[in-house]
């Protein structure tokens, strides 16, 4: 089966600019996750969707980050405006259902904010 | 609050030597622990979970609730085991994972 797809793979922007990431989960996977992985740290969950509804966004900095999953398939994560500390790899993952299925990860998008 | 600690950033062993990657957790509820692995230029993937009690690629991990640990072990390291290993804790009723900071395992010839 095809894996989780993400684009772009790399992005360099200046601080205060906006950026968007796209994720296409594995077909049929109801649950989608966005993680932020800062260099030297483990992935940190930003937001979790069940179909097109938000299950957990407790660690999403809502003043600048937003995410949506229209139609319960693809998802976009946006940062507006970006800060230097947003430099990280943004990982998307999906699982068949919410609990407790294995999460399958995408290749990630490496964001550099200058 | 839940927390996962991996004390070693880098672990270097010789081929054929035993490997133990340490993981400690703190969580007030009933924990579910996982090990994820990321080989060079590959995606993060599940290696094993404690509820399965299985051996994957020769690796095993036992949940020790008394010591709040879930160390990953392999009796004889292979070159292909070189990778980044993350311990993760699942909490609550959802599928939320809290990851440790990871340990880079380097197996030398």
């Amino acid at each position: 089966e095809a894996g989780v797809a993400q684009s772009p793979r790399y992005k360099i922007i200046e601080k205060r600019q906006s950026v968007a990431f796209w994720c296409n989960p594995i077909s049929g996977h109801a649950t989608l996750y966005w993680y932020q992985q800062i260099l030297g740290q483990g992935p940190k969950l930003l937001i979790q969707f069940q179909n097109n509804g938000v299950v957990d966004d407790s660690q999403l900095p809502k003043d600048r980050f937003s995410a949506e999953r229209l139609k319960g398939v693809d998802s976009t994560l946006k940062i507006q405006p970006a800060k230097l500390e947003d430099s990280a790899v943004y990982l998307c993952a999906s699982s068949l259902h919410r609990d407790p299925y294995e999460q399958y990860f995408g290749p990630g998008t490496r964001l550099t904010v200058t | 609050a839940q927390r996962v600690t991996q004390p070693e950033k880098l672990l270097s062993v010789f081929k054929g030597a035993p490997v133990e990657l340490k993981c400690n957790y703190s969580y007030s509820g009933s924990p579910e622990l996982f090990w994820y692995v990321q080989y060079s230029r590959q995606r993060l993937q599940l290696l094993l979970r404690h509820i399965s009690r299985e051996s994957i690629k020769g690796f095993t991990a036992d949940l020790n609730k008394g010591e709040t640990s879930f160390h990953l072990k392999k009796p004889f390291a292979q070159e292909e085991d070189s990778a980044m290993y993350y311990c993760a804790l699942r909490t609550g009723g959802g599928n939320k994972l809290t990851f440790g900071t990871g340990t880079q395992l380097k197996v030398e010839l």
Side-chain angles (χ1 to χ4, degrees):
Chain A
E1 63 183 0
V4 176
Q6 289 187 248
S7 68
R9 293 295 311 278
Y10 305 91
K11 189 74 177 179
I12 300 174
I13 62 172
E14 295 182 352
K15 59 183 179 184
R16 291 188 289 274
Q17 286 187 322
S18 301
V19 64
F21 312 125
W22 173 82
C23 173
N24 180 239
I26 292 173
S27 177
H29 280 197
T31 311
L32 185 146
Y33 316 77
W34 282 102
Y35 289 86
Q36 179 191 56
Q37 185 172 18
I38 294 172
L39 186 65
Q41 300 182 20
K44 182 184 82 171
L45 181 69
L46 292 176
I47 189 167
Q48 176 182 343
F49 291 95
Q50 177 71 15
N51 295 310
N52 60 351
V54 175
V55 172
D56 185 340
D57 63 358
S58 57
Q59 298 191 100
L60 187 74
K62 298 180 186 63
D63 58 334
R64 298 183 300 105
F65 285 65
S66 64
E68 60 182 12
R69 191 184 184 197
L70 300 176
K71 301 180 182 179
V73 181
D74 293 4
S75 177
T76 56
L77 176 70
K78 297 178 181 178
I79 308 175
Q80 181 181 7
K83 293 184 175 181
L84 295 177
E85 57 261 37
D86 297 332
S87 293
V89 175
Y90 290 85
L91 295 166
C92 180
S94 69
S95 62
L96 188 58
H97 292 291
R98 175 178 161 183
D99 181 18
Y101 293 84
E102 176 177 349
Q103 296 185 25
Y104 293 85
F105 285 80
T109 296
R110 182 177 297 278
L111 173 68
T112 302
V113 182
T114 63
Chain B
Q2 60 271 17
R3 189 185 197 98
V4 176
T5 302
Q6 294 180 251
E8 302 142 328
K9 282 191 179 297
L10 174 66
L11 181 64
S12 186
V13 301
F14 285 107
K15 180 181 175 181
V19 174
E20 183 177 68
L21 300 171
K22 291 183 168 49
C23 172
N24 288 90
Y25 68 91
S26 63
Y27 180 54
S28 56
S30 181
E32 190 172 343
L33 277 298
F34 303 81
W35 277 99
Y36 276 78
V37 62
Q38 187 166 24
Y39 300 101
S40 180
R41 298 188 184 87
Q42 294 188 28
R43 304 174 183 207
L44 191 62
Q45 59 186 283
L46 179 66
L47 179 62
L48 56 78
R49 67 191 83 190
H50 89 268
I51 58 173
S52 301
R53 302 187 65 82
E54 57 193 346
S55 174
I56 304 293
K57 299 184 178 182
F59 285 98
T60 59
D62 291 318
L63 178 60
N64 185 323
K65 291 186 178 181
E67 296 183 357
T68 60
S69 69
F70 187 57
H71 302 329
L72 184 67
K73 300 177 183 180
K74 184 170 183 177
F76 308 104
Q78 301 299 313
E79 190 179 1
E80 57 265 29
D81 297 329
S82 294
M84 192 73 173
Y85 292 80
Y86 293 95
C87 182
L89 168 68
R90 178 177 163 266
T91 59
N95 208 9
K96 179 176 180 176
L97 293 177
T98 298
F99 285 85
T101 52
T103 297
Q104 179 74 45
L105 174 64
K106 184 178 179 182
V107 180
E108 300 183 76
L109 299 176

